[in-house]
Amino acid sequence: QAGSIRSEVPGPSRERDKPESSQCSLHPFQVSFHQLGWDHWIIAPHLYTPNYCKGTCPRVLRYGLNSPNHAIIQNLVNELVDQRVPQPSCVPYKYVPISILLIEANGSILYKEYEDMIAQSCTCR
Amino acid sequence: KVGQPSIALLAEAPTLPLIWELLEDVPGKQQSKPRVLGHPLRYMLELYQRSADMHGHPRENRTIGATMVRLVRPLANVAKPLRGPWYIQTLDFALRPNRALYQLVRATVVYRHQLHLNRYHLSCHVEPWVQKNPTNHFSPSGRASSKPSLLSKAWTEMDITQHIQQRLWKHKGRRILRLQFMCQQQKGTEVVLRHWHGTASLDIAFLLLYFNDTHKTVHKAKLLPRGMEEFTGRGSSLLLRRAR
């Protein structure tokens, strides 16, 4: 019953004021291992694309955002009960791993797949 | 701290497993970069290119069979005096202490089975060194096999998983895998000993250890006690409908 909730909540709609681009979404971002100060031991890859999530979470959390039940409740509490309880935050939802080739301190060479290194999608929670 | 992009700063977050791992594995910035050249580096670069794309995304069809591969080079090569027709070197490999989160799935030794010293040719093989004991036998898990895609013609790969798991892996403390690199001169040639001793500085063999990361399964088990998955699986959709 999202529509009826919206009509009952007093005050201007935060969603309506925000342009589409400021809503919670994935932003591509690339950094080099040189910038992170790790290029003295990482052989490959040279560039890393961690990406990031940024934007406002909508008042009504739609299915596509994959928000958990708790986020839905917290949003309702923020809107209807107590505004000191913050709205859910825009954070990564799915990650993918990255494979890294590096030189260890003793001269061994290591190939390793590190989990959860690249944000692939975002959620409000 | 701005302008000091270093993992040392991240040490303040010691609960992060990745950070601990990086601090443990990574050479310090002040330390000079370990020099790794030649065949070991080429081998690992090729393994990397086959397993991940240029952005570092693991390939869907990768055949590596592990989430971590460590190439270990010998600590030192000691060329022994000639024993009959055999030229022998002892190779010691230091194995790091076991970590519960990584399971050894495979171990192989990659070595040159052909050596060319000036105009002399040697045929070589590798044997794990075992103490003189009548009950000791070495039985490699598989026959030596060359893999043309990753290895050039002069190199061969031999599976020694069983040997490492049975004899070394469960030991605590410092563990050394000792191998003997044995070469035989080809008919009609006689290698000058000084050439043989010169091979001590060459890359003639390296060890490959394949591991699987068990962290994910451990983590999941900790997060979801028995029976919880079922609860969350069925319950969450119900709760979602009620909340909406």
Side-chain angles (χ1 to χ4, degrees):
Chain A
Q1 302 299 319
S4 61
I5 291 173
R6 178 191 286 251
S7 63
E8 287 163 21
V9 176
S13 162
R14 274 164 275 178
E15 276 167 81
R16 235 175 284 141
D17 297 339
K18 299 276 181 189
E20 188 77 11
S21 60
S22 71
Q23 289 203 5
C24 178
S25 62
L26 184 72
H27 294 252
F29 185 76
Q30 197 168 66
V31 65
S32 70
F33 284 113
H34 175 73
Q35 287 173 291
L36 291 172
W38 296 353
D39 58 322
H40 66 297
W41 56 277
I42 290 183
I43 304 170
H46 295 297
L47 297 173
Y48 168 35
T49 311
N51 303 330
Y52 64 92
C53 294
K54 188 179 172 183
T56 315
C57 288
R59 288 168 63 234
V60 178
L61 297 170
R62 59 180 192 275
Y63 263 124
L65 281 169
N66 294 299
S67 293
N69 294 327
H70 179 271
I72 294 164
I73 303 300
Q74 184 164 325
N75 221 0
L76 289 175
V77 169
N78 168 268
E79 290 278 354
L80 304 174
V81 182
D82 189 340
Q83 291 206 337
R84 287 175 303 176
V85 177
Q87 275 188 289
S89 303
C90 176
V91 292
Y93 176 63
K94 277 189 180 166
Y95 300 94
V96 289
I98 185 172
S99 294
I100 286 179
L101 191 66
L102 62 95
I103 300 181
E104 293 179 299
N106 62 2
S108 297
I109 311 174
L110 187 72
Y111 165 90
K112 187 162 181 194
E113 293 171 16
Y114 287 91
E115 290 293 328
D116 303 338
M117 291 286 282
I118 298 169
Q120 201 183 34
S121 63
C122 301
T123 183
C124 286
R125 60 168 54 206
Chain B
K1 289 173 185 176
V2 174
Q4 293 179 35
S6 160
I7 57 162
L9 300 178
L10 301 175
E12 289 166 14
T15 51
L16 300 172
L18 171 67
I19 301 308
W20 271 120
E21 202 163 278
L22 295 179
L23 287 170
E24 195 179 326
D25 291 341
V26 170
K29 188 107 190 180
Q30 293 75 26
Q31 211 175 324
S32 60
K33 186 175 185 169
R35 263 175 73 84
V36 182
L37 298 167
H39 198 78
L41 182 59
R42 281 203 301 276
Y43 185 94
M44 288 303 274
L45 278 171
E46 197 166 324
L47 180 139
Y48 183 85
Q49 283 159 6
R50 286 163 55 110
S51 307
D53 66 18
M54 60 179 293
H55 303 289
H57 302 139
R59 295 187 192 280
E60 293 259 329
N61 57 352
R62 63 194 183 281
T63 53
I64 195 167
T67 54
M68 183 165 98
V69 183
R70 173 173 285 120
L71 182 150
V72 186
R73 293 187 305 157
L75 291 171
N77 309 0
V78 181
K80 291 185 173 177
L82 195 66
R83 280 190 201 168
W86 290 100
Y87 295 82
I88 301 173
Q89 279 193 31
T90 302
L91 309 174
D92 285 345
F93 297 88
L95 304 180
R96 291 157 57 117
N98 283 341
R99 291 163 77 182
L101 294 180
Y102 298 105
Q103 184 193 9
L104 179 74
V105 290
R106 191 166 160 238
T108 63
V109 58
V110 179
Y111 63 93
R112 286 181 197 263
H113 69 265
Q114 288 170 8
L115 265 186
H116 304 291
L117 305 173
N118 286 348
R119 55 203 164 86
Y120 308 110
H121 298 281
L122 296 170
S123 304
C124 308
H125 72 277
V126 161
E127 283 184 8
W129 180 89
V130 283
Q131 273 180 318
K132 289 276 182 288
N133 181 329
T135 59
N136 279 340
H137 303 288
F138 165 65
S139 51
S141 314
R143 287 165 57 194
S145 64
S146 60
K147 292 184 176 175
S149 49
L150 271 182
L151 293 167
S152 63
K153 277 181 189 170
W155 291 79
T156 296
E157 187 166 359
M158 184 172 76
D159 194 317
I160 54 166
T161 314
Q162 215 180 341
H163 175 78
I164 289 194
Q165 278 177 337
Q166 286 177 357
R167 293 183 185 277
L168 284 161
W169 207 245
K170 287 170 189 165
H171 290 196
K172 286 175 182 165
R174 187 173 158 84
R175 295 166 306 172
I176 299 287
L177 169 70
R178 177 162 286 182
L179 300 176
Q180 287 203 311
F181 180 68
M182 306 173 76
C183 297
Q184 195 174 25
Q185 62 206 26
Q186 287 180 357
K187 276 182 188 173
T189 65
E190 193 169 326
V191 178
V192 179
L193 270 178
R194 70 182 159 86
H195 289 313
W196 172 242
H197 285 283
T199 58
S201 59
L202 295 176
D203 278 316
I204 52 171
F206 53 85
L207 183 66
L208 291 171
L209 300 171
Y210 295 77
F211 298 91
N212 261 339
D213 188 348
T214 57
H215 175 258
K216 268 184 116 177
T217 40
V218 171
H219 189 61
K220 271 185 188 163
K222 276 186 185 168
L223 279 178
L224 294 175
R226 197 181 296 168
M228 252 326 247
E229 277 170 332
E230 197 184 341
F231 170 78
T232 53
R234 267 195 272 156
S236 61
S237 57
L238 194 67
L239 183 58
L240 184 67
R241 279 200 297 277
R242 281 178 189 161
R244 290 180 65 242

